[in-house]
Structures are given as C-alpha cells and as structure tokens.
Amino acid sequence: MSHEDDRGAIARRSLFRGAAGLGAVTTLPAAASAQTASTAMPAPGTVAAWRAGARAASDRPRAAPYRFFNAVEADFVEAAVDRLIPDDDEWPGALWAGVPTYIDGQLAGGYGQGARFYGAGPWAPGLPSQGYQLPLNPSQLYRTSLTALLRDLGTRRLDFAHAAPETRDAFLRDVEAGRIDCGGFPSSVFFETLLANTIEGYFADPSYGGNRDMVGWRMIGFPGAYAAYLQIYTNHGMRFDVEPMAMGSAGQHQHGPGGHRHG
Amino acid sequence: MARTMPAVDVVFVGVGFTAAIIARELKDASVRMVGLERGRARDTVPDFQSPAMHDELGYAVRHGLMQDVARETVTVRNRPDEVALPMRQLGSFLPGTDLGGAGVHWNGQTFRFQESDFVLRSHHEQRYGRGAVPEELSIRDWGITYADLEPHYDRFEYLLGVCGYAGNVQGNIRPGGNVFEAPRSRDYPNPPTRPAYLGAIFAKAAMDLGYSPFQVPSANLTRGYTNPEGVRLEPCMVCGYCERFGCEHFAKSSPQTTLWPVLRQQQNFELRTGAHVLKVNLTADRRRATGVTYIDVATGEEVEQPAELVVLSAFAFHNARLMLLSGIGTPYDPRTGQGNVGRNYCYQTMSSVSLFFDEDVNLNQFMGAGALGTVIDDYAGDNFDHTGLGFVGGAYIAAYTTGARPIEFHPVPPGTPRWGATWKQAVARHYNHTGGLQCHGQSNATRTNYVDLDPTYRDAYGQPLLRITFDFPQNDLRMSHYVTERAVEIARRMGARQIVANPRTAPWSVVPYQTTHNTGGAIMGTDPRETAVNRFGQSWDTPNVFVTGSTLFPQNATYNPTDTVGALAYWTAAAIRDRYLRSAGPLVPT
Amino acid sequence: MRRAWFAAALAALAAGAALAQTASGPAGGSASARAAPDAERGRRIVENGTSSGAVPCAQCHGVDGSGVGSDAFPRIDGQPAFYIFKQLNDYASGARDNPIMGPIAQSLSETERQDLAAYFGSLPFVASPPPTSDPQLSRTGRVIATMGIPERGVQGCVNCHGPDGAGIAPATPRLAGQWASYTRAQLDAFRQGTRNNDVAAVMRDLSRRMNEGDMAAASAYFEAQRPGRAP
C-alpha cells in the first residue's frame, strides 16, 4: 500500500467497502454506496476517488534515464506504447504508467541479454509450431528492428514521435502486419514482442518500473501482491473494491527469482 | 580426471517427489543413499515467502522457478520427416528445477487414473471389438492394474493430504464425489474445497444437464494436517498465486512440505545439490550399472559416484534422455518400429470454452487456488459409450478458479482489436466477469510420437538434447472436438452473455502453454523388446536401474499425471525394499 | 441426494446471485432492503454508548480507536471494517470468548455492529510515536515477520497480515502499532486454544510452533511499525 503522505492524493478516509448482503456471520455487510455517502464526491479511498483526483492525463512521469534506448529509440517506443495502451477518460495509458521505463529496464537486464533463452546455433527459420528461432536476444531484436523502423520512417518522412494518433496507429498496423523488413525478418516479430512487453509493463509489479501507482491493477480490480481470500471467496459475486497493494508496499528488501542462494 | 566419491548402495538422479518417496521408504533398509540434484536447495522459508513470491512477471512470465533452457532445452518437431529445432524459450510446458522440481510449482490437481486406463487396449477391444482402436494409435496395456496401484495411490494421497470427497469407496457409490472413479479403499484424508463462484454456476448447469459434478481433488490443503510422516501442512489461504509459484503457507503439497523435514534428518540419506548427472555408467556388456558420472556445478569438476543401484528420478522425459545418453536399452526408431527407449511419447489434449458474463457478475477469479475447481467426469476416458463416435478417449470438463493474474489473463471477446483504446476498455470491462471451462483430455500414443537424441543441438555440457517428435493424433482431435461441444452445451446454461469455444487444433505448437504433462519415452510393459522397464519400473536391459515418473506411462490418460507418478513411486519403492534388496536381479523374468 | 456440502455450495450460489443483485455501487444505486452501514451513527455509539446500555467504546478504545494509553485495551484504529464486524459478532455469539466484550457485543444490534464497523473501518491509524522497544528484539521480530522461522515451519506473518502488518482488507487484521503485550496475549490465547475464532485454525497452528521468544519478538516488531492504513 503506498504511503499516503508521499502520494498525496490518495485519501486516508475510506468508507466501508465490500459487497454482499447481510446474513450469516461470515458474510460481509452491504457496501456503502458512494452515492449514499455524506458528500457527492466519490467515496475517498476508493478507486473512483483515485481516478478523479490523483493525476491528469497529461502528467508525464519524470523521465528516468534510459539505460538501453538511445534518444530516437526512446522517442519511438514512447510514442508507440502510447498507442498500444492509450490514455483515455477513465484511465491513464502505458506512457503515463512508465511502460517505456519498464521495457528499457528489461532490455538492459537479464531478459534483454538472453537469460533463459537457448542461444546456440545452427539457426533455421523453422515452422510456427517451433516458436521463435531468430539469432537475436530481445535487446538485439529491439535494436535491429528499431533501426529498420526508424529508417523506414525516414523514407516516409514521418516524424512518428510527433505524429497524430491516427497516423501512428496506421504505421503500427504496418509493423504488426509484417510489412516492414527488419533485416531478414518481418516487423511482425518485433511488434508481437513490443506488444507483449507493453502489456507486461502495464500489469507487472510497479517495482519493475511500469504499472505506475498500480494503475493497471486499479483499472481491472486486481488486488496485487498481497492476497489471502480463504475467508471471503465463498461470498459469491461480492463486489471487491479494495485498493491494490504492491510488493514494495513494505519498503523492505525482497529477493526475486533466482536471487537467493543457500545450501 | 574425474574424482571418485565413496560408493553408495543407491544413487538417485534428481531429487523431487519420486526420489523423496523412495528414499523415505528405504529409511529402515541397510543402504546408504545419495540424492544428486543438479539444482539448488530451496525451502518454503525463506525461498517462497510473499510478497516477493507473488511476482507474476518474475515467476509466471519469466519462469523464475523453472528449468533454465539457456543451459539445456529440448528440440521439437511434429513429424519424423521434419528437422527438429530447439525450444529456445519455455512455452508449451514448464519443467521444474532445483530441489523438489515441478512438485514445488504445480497446481495440486490430484486425480487417479481409471481402471481401464491401465489396460487401455484390451479394455477397448473387449468393449467395442478389435477394430475399435484406430490404426494410428499404438496404445497398449501397462502390465499393472489399478488394483495393484490402489494401496499406493492411497499412500501418496495421505502423504499429500489430498482434499476431496470420494465417489467410490470399496464399491459404495457416493453422489457428490466422482461417481465414475475407480474404487478406493477409503475416503480422502481432508475435506474437499468449497466451490468458488464460477464452479458453483458450473455445478448447477451441469446438474441440470444430468451430469455429476464434484470438487477437484486438491493438494492445496483445506485445513491443517499432519501426514503419516509426521509432517504438518497448513490450510491454503486462496491467494491466486499457485501454479508456477512456490507456496508461502506450507499449504501446497510438495516434496518440501510433505517429506523433506523428515528426509533431511534421515541417517542413511545424503542430499548433494549442484550435482548435474551426465550419464549412468555401465559395464561393457551394458547389463549392469556401476554408478553415475556428474559435474560438480560449483567447480566444474567431473565426479564419479559408484552405486549398486541407480534410480532415475528426474522429471519425466529427462529420465528417458538419461537412458539414451547412457546406452541403457535400445533407441526407438519409428521407421523400423524397433527399440525400447523413446517410444510412446504423449502429452495432454487441452481445449477450453470462454464465458463472458455481464458486468454485474463478479467472478473474482483472482481469489483462486491451484486445484480450486468443480469438474465433471462424465466425458473422461471411457466413462461414456463411444459406439459410433469414431474415437477413443475423453476429457474431464472443469471450471477452475486458479487465479487471474493480469499479464497472463486479460480476456476480451473475439473481434476486439488486439491493442489500442478499444482493447483497453474491453480488458477493463471483461477482466472480472470472464471465466473458462477447461477440457483436460487423454493423449494417445502413436508410432511417430517419440523421443530420441538430437543429432545437432547440445546442452551446456556438450551432450545431445532430447528431441521430441509429437503431434496430436487425429483420434485425439476428434475426441477433443466432441468434448468441447459438450462443454459448450454446459456453458450455454451458465448465464454468460457470450461463449467462445477454443478447440484443440493441430499441429502441436511449442509456443502457447498447455500443460507440463509430458509422458512416455521409457514406458512400462510386459515385452522387453518394446518397453523400457518392467511393471516395477526396472530396466529390462540393465536390472540395477529403476526409472520413475510419467516417462513410464505407455500413454497419458485423461487426468493430470502427478497422483499416478506418486503411486508408481510407492509401488517401485515397495518392489525395491521388499524384493530387489533381498535378491538383486530382474524382478520379472525375461 | 447430494452431499451436504455440495448443496451448501449451491445455496451459496443462490445467495451469491442475490448478493450480486443487491450489492450497490457508485452507479447502481442501492436496491438493498435495509439501510447501509452508517459510520456517523457508529461514531455516536462510540461517544455515547447505546440505549440498551452498551458503554461508549471510547472509554476503553478512545474516540479514534487509538486506545487510552494503556495496553490493557487494544487499539482498534486501522482495522478493516469487516474484521471489526466479525469480532463483534464472534464476541456476541461466544465464538470469541471475552467476559468484557461478550456482554457489550450482545447488547448491540446487528445494525449497530455494522455501524461501528463502518466507523472504525474509516479511521486512519493514529500515527502516535511507537513505544520504545528493545532494538534487538525488534530486529529478531522483523525476520520472523517478513521471512518466518524455517526450523519451526512458520511462514512470515506479512504473507497474510500485509506489508509491515498493515492488514489485508477485508478479513485479515492489522498488527502494526498494536500494543506488543496485547498481540502477545492473543498469540498465547491461540496457542492455548482459549481463542479459537481464527479461520481454518491457522493462528492456533502457527502459535503452537512459536516459542516465547518468537512471540515476544514478533509482537515487539509489529508494535513499532507505522505503515499507512491498508485499503
């Protein structure tokens, strides 16, 4: 749970939440409807209140230095993820959520360098059922593809980073359809990876750099990293409007996969 | 040059469930045992504690608890006339790694096989006639019966503390349990799970159609439990981070939570981690194993471990690969049909139905547990009359609530754009109002589905990778199509606004995850020329080598393999303890 | 004839369908047959007691739930509303045995218990300075709280009780900031079985695998924690 003082907008007061009718001891009391609260505002501490007060869609996160992307690559990736998961009236999108920072961190780290990837040849294109067979780890895939895409944009005289949304969408559809040669492989391979990484970055724990303020989790109603529902999962159909909690809520040292050794 | 360790009586290759079971069963035998585990030691505390464990990206997407395929993978192809290529990243299946193996990150769904599954060919020929089994299938009888295994299923289920309500206790059929199941000697050790919302909706629809739903037998405990080894497990907190994760609560049955606390103190058993076995060493005539050679991962040194008895207890197909690398038995060649190691590789035939509900139906699928589900067995195996249907086998239909972690689960109806504003709004709209029915189906053997050593690709130690040649037989696709249609019928009665069937199609692809139920390759049987091991899991060719795991299955049944893997481990342990150690040699005359 | 538990599951389904229909949200308006819990009514009970003779909660728990400076009475600020509701019900029914809270809870109607739950569940945790504690004890407690006790098969408390013991709504209580002596007493009560309203007997199980030192350490650690309120 974020510390309210730091985040500012997340209110302390929270009216009782949780759905369910009255009944046996183990059922939950009825939800306090936001409309029956004493004010007309969304009930403080609820997701609705966070959306209303916490940020403006134009509020870009303070840019962290990129460790992998150079400036033109970063411009492209930012403008691309901004269309893959755009801002709308309801929820910020991938750009606000820090997805470019997430992807950059992944590419600069083990995933990007080919961890858990069998990188020995010989190489052959293979059939779709044999999966990815390019001799490029994710960081190489990005670099190679972005170079080709940026060159293609130059040929089209298209300033992607500053183009209108519809124009950017049209280009991304070309990339998705594989219409651009990225150096021996179609751009669709890159697109699928970018889309997958974008979704990861929108929904992964915020400690990875994306899902800023758990926006992805708030949007869908996913509670996050702290979870124990034995007592309530049999309240079938209950409305569970509880703010999420991330791994970093405690601010303590945690170790990740493969990080702990002993014995 | 290799250094040599002091000789032991029994060496295990891979320390997961089966090694732990057999080693524990030999606790009073006058044997010195060593378990060689190529990975690291790990335990509930501190390795599986949340919130760090509740990291979907790290564990479910980046596979933090799984085998690192950078060092060793498999090559894959659908047909023998294709060139196999490496599975360069995990996808279709997720082998485990480190102490406890896949028993740490599994879901806990614990089903026994049916009586007919063990005599699959003769059962079908008796019931439907000799022509009933399609020509493309090489299914066969196991050489053991369900009755042989029943006491060992019981042992394993009580070790784990499986939670369920038995539908058949010594012939007494009990509605509310699985009324189709083979008879068991007694009920489960712990009460069944209580249904989640999706499961309850499914149960009602299924009962309306005359089916017999029951709760999936669960190795996520429903209450605190002390197993017969004196090890205590705790109730599952229903956190929704089960499959692909370790359990922080000692509530998922694993080698760590069921056996390791007593095994680690057992005087005659030594665990050695960071010991990557390269091969079993054999005498020149290959009739006897002398021990194994392994790499000490910490130093890179080659080490020889002499042993009287070798147990191959690694994950599934790793055991078949070890046999091939060591020269135990003869490699199977689909062109000639000769060879007893590698044949009858099978998988699991999966399909699903997605249900999109209205916004006022809060499924809360994120309140999940690995084996939390409601299931019908009416279309499993041969539980229904197949006359005129044109296929053998079946699938169970289950409504699972295993969790709803968003990177993996963000369903949208067909026709929704794959990205952009509309996609995003659809994800928000549908996330908490979508569930699925899973059809978990039998996988029958064919002559061209097999494993052998790849001619080209090698692992980090320079050894050939295992090559998997597999595609779904036409029979299995017909079966899956049929059961998926039955699932759609149930789905239509569940009140969803939209139903989408996701049938199984060929070819088998290594890309999307399906199950980690890889079976076969070192199959059990009665014919030493065609099968790798006898009914006790003992190699026909090298009798002081025993093999465990789903690699023994001549074909895969409707159900998840773990219960049968555990039962076979107890069965093999009894054979070693009560017969082999008294008089070493072939337990079945050749 | 179906086994009882399965029939119960269907009853839960039927209840669930009803729950889904009556649960009100920001847009739907309330269709429920009785009044929603009222935190304001709850506050009046805290300050004034009830006409049926329940003493004002504030006398022991403080108006803001942060207690009256004595570890004889637990702090209840920062607790999830449902947890408060459940404890009041358990006190009333005897599922949780307490000679003081039992009669008080029994004198409260279900609506009043809901109102109190809504009120206390809306309060922030009062960020008073933590009492001085033995730093060594607190450090030991931190390991138990976050990692558990491997040799006794005890998992870290935060797995269920949330970051820094903030609690996980709606059902898992906050430990952070609670008097160490009170937390200690609850662990003892679970261990002896004199408190047995814990879900699936988990706390009874765990406490029986903790020794005196473990309990003292964990309690001291949580007393000193000051996380924000769990949602």
Side-chain angles (χ1 to χ4, degrees), chain B residues 45-46 49-50 165 175-176 192-193 195 197 200-201 203-204 207 211 213-215 224 232 234-235 237 248-250 360 374, chain C residues 1-3 5-6 9-10 13 16-17 20-21 146-150 153-156 158-160 199-202 205-206 209:
Chain B
V45 180
Q49 294 300 289
S50 83
Y165 179 72
T193 59
Y197 192 17
I201 300 171
K204 183 164 189 317
M207 284 196 282
Y211 301 132
F214 58 100
Q215 286 304 93
R232 179 88 180 156
E234 292 180 27
M237 287 290 128
E248 68 266 35
H249 291 294
F250 302 93
D360 62 350
T374 308
Chain C
M1 162 144 161
R2 301 295 171 184
R3 174 136 159 62
W5 64 260
F6 216 83
L10 295 187
L13 164 62
Q21 286 156 17
T146 59
M147 284 172 49
I149 310 169
V154 176
Q155 65 268 37
V158 300
N159 284 301
C160 281
V199 66
V202 171
D205 217 313
L206 286 174
R209 273 177 278 138

Side-chain angles (χ1 to χ4, degrees), chain B residues 164-169 172-181 184 187-188 192 211-217 375-378, chain C residues 1-6:
Chain B
Y165 179 72
N168 182 341
V169 180
N172 174 30
I173 304 298
R174 311 196 303 170
N178 182 2
V179 298
F180 294 96
E181 69 183 3
R184 51 179 67 230
D187 203 349
Y188 289 93
Y211 301 132
S212 304
F214 58 100
Q215 286 304 93
V216 172
V375 58
I376 63 164
D377 218 35
D378 299 66
Chain C
M1 162 144 161
R2 301 295 171 184
R3 174 136 159 62
W5 64 260
F6 216 83

Side-chain angles (χ1 to χ4, degrees), chain A:
Chain A
M1 174 65 187
S2 52
H3 293 273
E4 293 92 328
D5 294 328
D6 295 336
R7 300 288 172 158
I10 299 174
R12 289 177 180 77
R13 288 178 51 84
S14 60
L15 294 179
F16 178 74
R17 282 185 303 279
L22 302 167
V25 190
T26 53
T27 59
L28 293 167
S33 162
Q35 290 180 338
T36 63
S38 54
T39 72
M41 295 293 294
T46 59
V47 170
W50 181 90
R51 281 159 46 192
R55 89 296 174 279
S58 59
D59 167 22
R60 287 277 305 274
R62 198 174 312 120
Y66 288 120
R67 287 183 285 147
F68 177 80
F69 292 130
N70 62 34
V72 288
E73 292 169 336
D75 284 350
F76 178 88
V77 170
E78 290 177 3
V81 306
D82 184 48
R83 298 310 302 155
L84 295 180
I85 308 182
D87 287 340
D88 59 33
D89 291 340
E90 299 274 299
W91 299 100
L95 188 54
W96 187 92
V99 167
T101 301
Y102 162 79
I103 297 178
D104 179 75
Q106 291 291 299
L107 295 177
Y111 163 76
Q113 304 309 306
R116 299 180 166 275
F117 176 77
Y118 182 82
W123 304 90
L127 300 168
S129 61
Q130 293 171 310
Y132 182 85
Q133 294 293 334
L134 292 179
L136 301 170
N137 65 35
S139 69
Q140 293 164 331
L141 177 68
Y142 268 77
R143 187 127 285 155
T144 308
S145 303
L146 287 170
T147 303
L149 295 185
L150 289 165
R151 189 169 48 238
D152 187 273
L153 285 165
T155 309
R156 300 181 190 214
R157 299 194 177 288
L158 175 50
D159 179 3
F160 184 82
H162 297 97
E166 306 75 40
T167 310
R168 286 186 273 154
D169 286 353
F171 182 76
L172 288 173
R173 281 193 285 273
D174 280 348
V175 179
E176 181 181 18
R179 293 195 195 107
I180 300 166
D181 183 337
C182 284
F185 61 94
S187 54
S188 46
V189 180
F190 169 70
F191 183 87
E192 293 307 314
T193 308
L194 176 65
L195 179 60
N197 293 157
T198 300
I199 294 173
E200 288 167 8
Y202 198 69
F203 288 124
D205 189 274
S207 59
Y208 284 100
N211 194 10
R212 177 186 177 197
D213 214 1
M214 300 176 283
V215 61
W217 294 347
R218 294 175 191 279
M219 181 177 87
I220 60 178
F222 178 70
Y226 284 91
Y229 305 111
L230 175 63
Q231 290 188 74
I232 59 171
Y233 84 94
T234 47
N235 290 311
H236 293 166
M238 66 174 285
R239 255 190 84 235
F240 188 80
D241 181 11
V242 175
E243 288 201 334
M245 286 194 278
M247 286 199 297
S249 295
Q252 295 161 4
H253 170 71
Q254 301 286 355
H255 57 270
H260 187 93
R261 286 175 180 274
H262 70 110

Side-chain angles (χ1 to χ4, degrees), chain B residues 72 74 101 108 121 148 184 198 294 357 374 443 455 480 489 529:
Chain B
E72 178 194 297
V74 295
R121 180 167 286 275
D148 289 327
R184 51 179 67 230
L198 182 72
Y294 67 89
F357 288 85
T374 308
S443 179
S480 178
E489 288 164 0
R529 292 162 310 167

